[in-house]
Amino acid sequence: MDEIRQQVIPRIKADYATKIGVWNVRRVKAELAARRAKRRYAMARARVNRGESVEPEAITKALDAEFADWRRMMDEKMRTLNALLRWRSGRQRMTAGKAGELNRLFRRLARRFHPDLFPGDEQRAQYYEMACNALANGDLEMLRALDVATADWTDDVDYGRLTADELAGEIELLEDRLSSCRGDLNRMVSTEPYTLRAKLDDPEWVSGVVGGLRARVEAFEREKTHYDEAYDRLIKEDR
């Protein structure tokens, strides 16, 4: 589950951002521009109908206030997209051998450090956080260093001193935890973004989604052009 959260899902999100997310953001930008152009024309037309002169600066100020929420939403989408693109640009593709070593090392270190296995051990918890960060960043050298630095630590919990009854209770707790983890894992791999993994590897699916987004972008751009031209005509007539 940690591997999926720290490695697989970030890759899926970054892959989605580069193939489809950029088009989603462009669609939102085009829609915002079209809505704003339509609203600008409507405000100018209303002033003309009332026998008032069109005041572009006043209209722009009113539009800025009216579309403030849209602008904030757009800015948030851009920040999210840029973060994913930066993550993607900073990643180097690993060979299958190195990727396998990365995951094997993390699993070993997780057994050595995991807070659930060693509750209350702050030092192991700190090392576990470092291992998680290394996994997320694909930092194989860091995982190797952590493995060497703590090679003398036990990787497993010592159950040797438990009585039979205590051991039976511990087994029951571990079985409950395992069942819960299986349920969490099944939910994780059966919902987005994980389920996008196979779709993003299908060029036809990606092309179909991008084609639909491109068509919407073009429609919004035509709408914006229409209202921009209508607004310009009003300005000329008002003069």
Side-chain angles (χ1 to χ4, degrees):
M1 289 171 63
D2 283 334
E3 288 173 24
I4 290 174
R5 277 193 294 261
Q6 300 287 349
Q7 281 277 308
V8 178
I9 287 179
R11 280 199 300 270
I12 293 171
K13 288 182 176 180
D15 199 20
Y16 183 88
T18 55
K19 293 179 179 179
I20 294 173
V22 288
W23 279 99
N24 264 322
V25 169
R26 185 173 170 186
R27 176 196 61 79
V28 174
K29 284 183 177 181
E31 182 177 0
L32 172 58
R35 284 174 177 261
R36 187 178 174 109
K38 182 178 181 179
R39 181 65 178 143
R40 183 179 68 165
Y41 170 74
M43 294 169 74
R45 170 55 68 187
R47 294 185 69 89
V48 169
N49 290 344
R50 292 195 300 267
E52 301 171 357
S53 62
V54 177
E55 298 179 3
E57 290 185 4
I59 289 177
T60 297
K61 186 175 180 180
L63 287 170
D64 288 342
E66 190 172 321
F67 285 86
D69 287 343
W70 271 79
R71 174 52 58 189
R72 282 191 289 271
M73 178 192 71
M74 187 67 255
D75 290 344
E76 179 60 31
K77 284 184 177 294
M78 282 302 302
R79 281 193 293 271
T80 300
L81 176 65
N82 288 338
L84 290 168
L85 294 179
R86 282 195 301 272
W87 185 90
R88 172 80 176 244
S89 69
R91 303 286 292 178
Q92 294 183 355
R93 285 201 171 274
M94 303 180 74
T95 64
K98 286 188 176 181
E101 183 183 356
L102 182 84
N103 291 325
R104 285 193 300 274
L105 264 177
F106 178 77
R107 286 195 292 272
R108 182 160 73 219
L109 294 175
R111 290 194 301 271
R112 193 177 297 174
F113 305 143
H114 205 293
D116 285 350
L117 296 176
F118 302 94
D121 191 324
E122 293 185 6
Q123 189 173 14
R124 288 184 191 262
Q126 290 173 359
Y127 273 105
Y128 180 69
E129 183 178 356
M130 285 190 277
C132 286
N133 289 336
L135 178 68
N137 294 322
D139 191 344
L140 181 56
E141 292 303 321
M142 172 60 83
L143 289 181
R144 287 171 175 169
L146 290 173
D147 187 37
V148 172
T150 62
D152 57 325
W153 293 16
T154 178
D155 291 4
D156 299 300
V157 183
D158 181 10
Y159 293 112
R161 298 181 180 179
L162 297 180
T163 66
D165 287 343
E166 289 172 335
L167 188 58
E170 194 68 27
I171 290 172
E172 185 177 351
L173 288 174
L174 290 172
E175 286 176 343
D176 287 343
R177 185 181 300 163
L178 179 60
S179 177
S180 176
C181 285
R182 281 175 174 155
D184 291 342
L185 179 61
N186 287 334
R187 283 189 291 274
M188 186 183 294
V189 300
S190 62
T191 57
E192 289 187 5
Y194 190 89
T195 53
L196 290 172
R197 190 179 189 181
K199 293 178 180 178
L200 289 168
D201 288 335
D202 180 356
E204 290 187 7
W205 184 84
V206 172
S207 178
V209 174
V210 170
L213 289 170
R214 182 185 285 111
R216 295 186 68 184
V217 167
E218 292 171 352
F220 284 129
E221 289 177 343
R222 287 193 298 270
E223 183 179 0
K224 178 183 183 300
T225 299
H226 169 76
Y227 285 109
D228 282 346
E229 291 174 350
Y231 176 81
D232 290 342
R233 286 195 296 271
L234 272 182
I235 295 294
K236 290 179 181 178
E237 291 171 3
D238 186 55
R239 290 175 182 169

